[in-house]
Amino acid sequence: MNAMTMMPPPVTVQAVQQFATFDKKRSKLVPLMAILALHIAGFYAIQSGLLSRVVSAAMPTITTVSIVAPPAPPTPPAPAVPKTVELSAPVPQAVIPPLPLIAVAPTEPTITLPQPTRSEAAPVATTAPAAPSTPAPSPPAPSTPRTVSSVEYIKPPQPIYPNLSRRLGESGTVVLRVLINEKGLPEQILIHKSTGYNNLDEAGRQAAQRALFKPMIENGKAVPVYVLLPLTFQIS
């Protein structure tokens, strides 16, 4: 038995054109059908209440917060009013005893004598004024030390020339007024005449402070004296 071979029908140009036209129509119908399906689904959701549940689920939950006012502070208790208590027993009244009577003896009349006048009074004795007392003699005031022209030295003054004055070329003679006490020590040193330079005047004063003098003897007794002491500063 011979097998029959099935051959597909031949594809013509008209068939290809019809298929292409049907493909284009189908591509246009697909979006329209999708839009129609979406509308149908939305209508169904509105009718069944599904859309309202979705919107309710998407909306945030509103929480109601109640603000409670703080409790009022407790009112302080009113002060206690003292009670009025009536006394059952009457208050006894104070009884004042009568004062005793004192018998006063009658007095006899007295006679008052007149007072004597000033003229009749005894004369007042007068005392003689006391003689002025003689003031006690005051001690003699201490005598001021006199100024002498010269004194003898035990250790003569040795002035030291200041280095700064030497570099600056300062020179001159300072005259010092020196108070020499009973022991021959310079007790007070004053500038009688300045050199015009403080450094030279101070150097002369320090030199006189280091000097030692012989005490001034008068009537066999050492006395303080003033002396004018010149000291010369000269650059050699």
Side-chain angles (χ1 to χ4, degrees), residues 19 39 44 49 60 63 101 127 130 137 154-156 159 171 191 203 215 217 223-224 235:
F19 180 77
H39 280 76
Y44 175 76
T63 304
L101 298 177
T127 57
I154 297 177
K155 180 182 178 182
S171 61
I191 304 297
I217 305 298
V223 294
I235 300 176

Side-chain angles (χ1 to χ4, degrees), residues 75 78 118 229:
T75 304
R118 288 187 178 181
L229 177 62

Side-chain angles (χ1 to χ4, degrees), residues 44-59:
Y44 175 76
I46 293 172
Q47 292 295 329
S48 61
L50 180 61
L51 183 61
S52 62
R53 289 197 296 270
V54 172
V55 172
S56 299
M59 289 293 289

Side-chain angles (χ1 to χ4, degrees), residues 7 28 31 47-48 58 120 160 166 202:
M7 297 295 292
K28 292 180 179 180
Q47 292 295 329
S48 61
E120 297 176 356
I160 300 175
R166 189 184 298 274
E202 181 62 23

Side-chain angles (χ1 to χ4, degrees), residues 110-133:
T110 58
I111 300 174
T112 304
L113 298 177
Q115 297 292 335
T117 59
R118 288 187 178 181
S119 59
E120 297 176 356
V124 179
T126 57
T127 57
S133 60

Side-chain angles (χ1 to χ4, degrees), residues 8 17 30 48 64 88 91 120 135 138-139 163 191 211 221 226:
Q17 291 178 355
V30 170
S48 61
T64 303
S88 58
V91 179
E120 297 176 356
S138 58
N163 294 330
I191 304 297
K221 183 180 179 181
Y226 280 105

